[in-house]
């Protein structure tokens, strides 16, 4: 639930035009929350303690590679929007898209937590 709330918060910050003021402390705290969530997912898979260090290492390397690829994709996408002079629409698209996904995950987690 907390991971979904951090995503919703980021979408609201984008919408308020304060993304340049986004503090590194928020990124650090959000990173810790997301890391705890991902480590919980690993423990649910059933990784034994003797395989835990290697599994965590490979899992984190995979996450970092995926993030780098996502950033590259985002910059290409952003450049395309700049060429088409659609950057003001991009901010709104990203804000509402990220917020919608976060809200969906939040509702999904709450429903699972209360047992529906």
């Amino acid at each position: 639930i907390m991971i979904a709330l951090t995503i919703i918060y980021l979408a609201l910050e984008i919408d308020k035009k304060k993304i340049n003021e986004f503090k590194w402390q928020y990124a650090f705290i959000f990173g810790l929350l997301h890391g705890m969530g991902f480590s919980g997912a690993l423990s649910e898979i059933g990784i034994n303690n003797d395989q835990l260090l290697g599994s965590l290492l490979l899992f984190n390397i995979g996450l970092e590679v995926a993030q780098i690829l996502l950033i590259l994709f985002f910059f290409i996408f952003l450049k395309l929007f700049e060429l088409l002079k659609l950057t003001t629409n991009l901010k709104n698209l990203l804000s509402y898209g990220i917020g919608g996904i976060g809200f969906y995950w939040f509702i999904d987690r709450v429903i699972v937590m209360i047992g529906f």
Side-chain angles (χ1 to χ4, degrees):
I1 291 175
M2 293 300 294
I3 293 171
L5 288 176
T6 63
I7 294 169
I8 294 168
Y9 177 80
L10 176 63
L12 292 172
E13 286 297 306
I14 291 171
D15 196 42
K16 290 192 297 188
K17 300 179 184 178
K18 296 173 86 177
I19 197 67
N20 293 336
E21 300 174 15
F22 195 71
K23 306 268 188 266
W24 69 267
Q25 294 94 337
Y26 292 132
F28 180 76
I29 291 168
F30 291 176
L32 288 176
L33 286 172
H34 289 225
M36 285 188 283
F38 287 131
S39 68
L42 280 179
S43 66
E44 288 177 8
I45 293 172
I47 295 174
N48 297 329
N49 286 338
D50 59 338
Q51 299 172 343
L52 187 61
L53 184 60
S55 297
L56 282 175
L57 179 65
L58 290 174
F59 182 76
N60 284 324
I61 289 171
L63 278 178
E64 295 303 321
V65 168
Q67 287 176 353
I68 290 169
L69 291 174
L70 188 62
I71 289 169
L72 288 173
F73 173 77
F74 177 75
F75 281 126
I76 292 169
F77 189 69
L78 183 61
K79 192 63 174 172
L80 177 66
F81 266 69
E82 284 177 2
L83 290 173
L84 298 174
K85 301 189 185 312
L86 299 172
T87 52
T88 56
N89 295 333
L90 177 64
K91 184 184 84 58
N92 292 334
L93 177 70
L94 288 174
S95 177
Y96 296 133
I98 291 168
I101 291 168
F103 189 70
Y104 170 79
W105 284 336
F106 174 76
I107 297 298
D108 183 59
R109 300 312 189 273
V110 168
I111 288 172
V112 168
M113 191 173 88
I114 61 175
F116 277 118

